[in-house]
Amino acid sequence: MGRNWRDGRGELVVRGTDTGVRVPLEIAVSYRARTKGLLGRDSVDGAILLSPANSVHTFRMRMPIDVAYLDRRLRVIAVRTMRPGRLGMPRLRARHVVEAAAGAMREWGVREGTRVEVVVAATATG
């Protein structure tokens, strides 16, 4: 199940609800974008997807975050809330990580077993 994502924007669609919750998503797949992540930010609009990734840290972060670990089929295998200055445990089956403001995952219905979809924003052509 190969992914052809690039750094940019899109939407995270949370399955399991009647219509599916749609959340603005920043996509970070390059080494540089993944390493920067949410560092130095005071807030996040929606969520950020780090791929590939199986662990995160919150050193130099200014806010607590929710972290959802996703397997290769984009099924949530764990959700954790992390305060600044923490090192997360690597998840062996995780291939991607979604980060959001603390409390957001619960609001969106993201929990272990939830399936999500990444919809990449269309780019202008011509």
Side-chain angles (χ1 to χ4, degrees):
M1 208 174 200
R3 306 275 179 219
N4 292 320
W5 297 324
R6 294 184 181 187
D7 291 347
R9 299 219 167 259
E11 284 186 321
L12 181 73
V13 181
V14 181
R15 298 292 178 202
T17 60
D18 292 339
T19 57
V21 175
R22 300 178 84 83
V23 177
L25 182 68
E26 190 176 325
I27 302 169
V29 295
S30 70
Y31 177 78
R32 185 177 189 164
R34 285 192 329 263
T35 2
K36 184 169 186 217
L38 296 176
L39 296 177
R41 298 191 200 183
D42 292 322
S43 64
V44 58
D45 178 30
I48 183 170
L49 169 75
L50 307 175
S51 179
N54 68 356
S55 68
V56 297
H57 69 82
T58 58
F59 301 122
R60 295 182 18 224
M61 283 198 184
R62 299 177 181 170
M63 61 186 171
I65 61 171
D66 282 349
V67 180
Y69 299 88
L70 310 176
D71 67 12
R72 68 184 65 226
R73 292 198 166 102
L74 302 182
R75 186 169 308 276
V76 177
I77 58 176
V79 178
R80 298 291 180 263
T81 299
M82 294 177 65
R83 295 190 319 258
R86 303 290 179 197
L87 178 62
M89 297 276 300
R91 306 290 167 171
L92 296 178
R93 291 182 8 246
R95 297 294 179 264
H96 321 282
V97 171
V98 175
E99 298 178 342
M105 299 285 182
R106 183 180 311 114
E107 223 175 88
W108 302 333
V110 175
R111 61 185 178 281
E112 190 174 329
T114 301
R115 182 103 195 277
V116 300
E117 180 183 345
V118 174
V119 178
V120 177
T123 56
T125 59

